[in-house]
Amino acid sequence: MVKLLRTNKLQKLSKVLVLALSLSLFSCGQKENKDQENGKFTFGVWTTADAKKSDADYSKEFKKYKDGGIDEVLINTQTDPKLLARLVPLATKEGLKVHAWIMAMNRPNDSIALQHPDWYQVSKEGKSCFDNRPYVDYYQWLCPTKEESRNHVLGLVEGLAKVEGIESVHLDYIRFPDIFLPISLLPKYNLVQDTELPQFDFCYCDACVSKFEKEHHKNPKNSHNTSIDMEWKNFRLNAVKAVVDDAYKIAHKHNKKLTAAVFPYPEMADHMVRQRWDKWNIDEVYPMIYHSFYDEEIDWVGYATKQGVADLEGKPTKVNTGIYIPGLKSDAELKEAILQAKKNGATGVSFFDGNALSDSNLKTIREVKSAL
């Protein structure tokens, strides 16, 4: 009888141990699946391509990034699919993922667009970006509302999306010109921007005004104060969103993701450049949290990251924090910026740009990565 009771107890204990082990394995499996689904914390770098550079030199550059802890490169090929197709296998061979970086609405020296002066954005003063460029000469902004100009941009997106082996089409300058510059840049242009200035307020082209009038039964040019006209502001936010949403469809049609470099967090992007990226259909955003542009300290990287993550709560869009290398005073600040981004919900960080990364920077990145 005692032996039988002991046997029953052992059997029950065995069942409990098996159940506990099963639950443990299930829990571990769930964690592995979740880790696989969410991916590891990634490190990327923006870089601009030069067709004259040899394959050997590119392989050397890509190897340097990989050895320094970099996982992906966001390459600007001036929307040249052939150059991109040449570089993808070189980067892939070194273990890097490739994103096709495109200047979207700002199209400096676009030979096709320049044949169509009516494609360009017009300021509240009535001056076109075609020949009156705000701030700098490379600000040549196309209108996101006009069918021909937006279709031109989307055609360029599709050309890059067709390239085999890329991870995403990466939109940049997917916004309007800066209605407000970052505070640290104002002295460079001898500007005070306490209000929305008409020479930096876009787009008042015939296509935008006509479409807005049709939808809202008023002309923005006659507005008493366009800075507080929410319908007019949202009209422009939605014009950008519509381009992004169409680009998303194009990228996914070719089994690629859509990503974008954006301003630090949605409310700030809304205020400064008519860009509300938490409303977009997009896979991942790379907010350019360049703290030095805004006279902020390193902990602002964490603050701005957290704001973006919170605004995207419940959405599948990931946040990859952009870090401006020339704005860092030391490798200790580089380490702190990375940790601030991770602590506040980013799924990765990217550095601007490849040319700015020193051997010491790469050593720091590698060390931080191995410690995560």
Side-chain angles (χ1 to χ4, degrees):
M1 183 66 179
V2 172
K3 185 177 180 181
L4 180 60
L5 287 172
R6 285 179 177 173
T7 301
N8 288 339
K9 286 181 180 179
L10 286 172
Q11 287 177 339
K12 287 180 181 179
L13 181 60
S14 297
K15 288 178 181 179
V16 169
L17 289 172
V18 169
L19 179 60
L21 181 61
S22 298
L23 288 172
S24 176
L25 290 172
F26 178 71
S27 177
C28 290
Q30 276 192 318
K31 185 178 185 302
E32 285 180 9
N33 289 337
K34 190 172 183 180
D35 287 344
Q36 290 170 0
E37 180 182 333
N38 294 336
K40 295 180 180 178
F41 192 79
T42 60
F43 293 78
V45 62
W46 283 284
T47 185
T48 297
D50 181 353
K52 297 177 182 177
K53 191 170 178 178
S54 70
D55 287 2
D57 284 341
Y58 267 114
S59 293
K60 183 179 179 181
E61 179 183 350
F62 294 147
K63 186 177 187 304
K64 179 183 77 172
Y65 293 151
K66 185 63 178 179
D67 290 347
I70 301 298
D71 302 300
E72 57 181 30
V73 283
L74 303 109
I75 306 177
N76 178 9
T77 61
Q78 307 295 334
T79 61
D80 182 350
K82 290 183 180 179
L83 178 55
L84 181 63
R86 175 191 146 201
L87 298 181
V88 169
L90 299 177
T92 302
K93 185 178 180 181
E94 298 302 330
L96 298 172
K97 294 180 178 180
V98 177
H99 300 258
W101 173 17
I102 173 178
M103 295 177 72
M105 300 320 304
N106 181 29
R107 299 289 310 151
N109 304 312
D110 186 316
S111 59
I112 294 175
L114 286 171
Q115 298 175 38
H116 303 275
D118 61 315
W119 286 6
Y120 290 81
Q121 292 191 33
V122 175
S123 73
K124 192 176 182 180
E125 287 186 327
K127 295 179 179 179
S128 170
C129 280
F130 177 74
D131 48 15
N132 284 274
R133 295 154 196 170
Y135 305 113
V136 288
D137 195 52
Y138 67 84
Y139 262 28
Q140 298 176 278
W141 295 81
L142 299 182
C143 175
T145 298
K146 195 173 184 66
E147 186 175 354
E148 294 85 354
S149 51
R150 73 189 309 279
N151 285 347
H152 173 61
V153 172
L154 292 171
L156 295 172
V157 167
E158 183 147 35
L160 296 174
K162 289 179 179 179
V163 176
E164 291 297 323
I166 68 166
E167 294 294 311
S168 83
V169 177
H170 182 71
L171 305 175
D172 197 3
Y173 290 94
I174 183 66
R175 56 183 179 85
F176 282 78
D178 316 60
I179 188 68
F180 293 106
L181 284 176
I183 190 170
S184 70
L185 299 184
L186 290 173
K188 179 180 179 180
Y189 299 97
N190 195 27
L191 283 172
V192 174
Q193 292 183 327
D194 294 333
T195 59
E196 294 187 0
L197 301 175
Q199 65 268 40
F200 305 121
D201 187 9
F202 294 83
C203 173
Y204 291 78
C205 76
D206 291 342
C208 284
V209 170
S210 176
K211 185 175 180 182
F212 182 77
E213 277 191 298
K214 186 176 180 180
E215 293 178 5
H216 297 281
H217 319 295
K218 57 184 177 180
N219 188 327
K221 293 180 180 179
N222 299 329
S223 174
H224 174 67
N225 186 350
T226 51
S227 67
I228 58 172
D229 187 332
M230 289 301 102
E231 288 85 5
W232 177 229
K233 184 179 181 181
N234 282 331
F235 175 85
R236 290 173 288 177
L237 292 173
N238 289 334
V240 173
K241 172 177 164 55
V243 175
V244 175
D245 291 352
D246 283 349
Y248 179 86
K249 293 174 187 175
I250 291 169
H252 280 246
K253 180 179 73 174
H254 296 285
N255 299 312
K256 308 300 193 307
K257 294 179 182 178
L258 187 73
T259 60
V262 294
F263 266 55
Y265 55 91
E267 292 87 354
M268 191 173 190
D270 178 328
H271 175 70
M272 297 184 74
V273 295
R274 323 291 193 200
Q275 181 191 66
R276 188 71 198 216
W277 47 261
D278 57 326
K279 308 291 186 182
W280 295 352
N281 289 330
I282 196 161
D283 296 292
E284 189 164 3
V285 287
Y286 291 60
M288 299 172 287
I289 304 180
Y290 300 167
H291 69 286
S292 60
F293 282 27
Y294 305 96
D295 289 345
E296 299 285 356
E297 303 297 329
I298 287 292
D299 61 356
W300 192 75
V301 174
Y303 167 80
T305 297
K306 187 176 183 178
Q307 294 300 308
V309 170
D311 284 340
L312 288 169
E313 186 176 358
K315 296 186 176 184
T317 305
K318 297 178 181 178
V319 173
N320 187 303
T321 297
I323 296 171
Y324 186 62
I325 294 298
L328 301 169
K329 298 174 184 176
S330 64
D331 284 320
E333 284 199 348
L334 172 57
K335 177 180 179 180
E336 179 62 20
I338 296 169
L339 295 178
Q340 282 282 343
K342 188 175 190 304
K343 175 184 175 183
N344 286 282
T347 57
V349 290
S350 292
F351 307 104
F352 187 86
D353 68 348
N355 290 329
L357 283 173
S358 67
D359 290 342
S360 178
N361 292 153
L362 290 167
K363 181 175 182 289
T364 299
I365 292 166
R366 185 173 64 248
E367 290 173 350
V368 173
K369 182 178 183 179
S370 64
L372 292 179

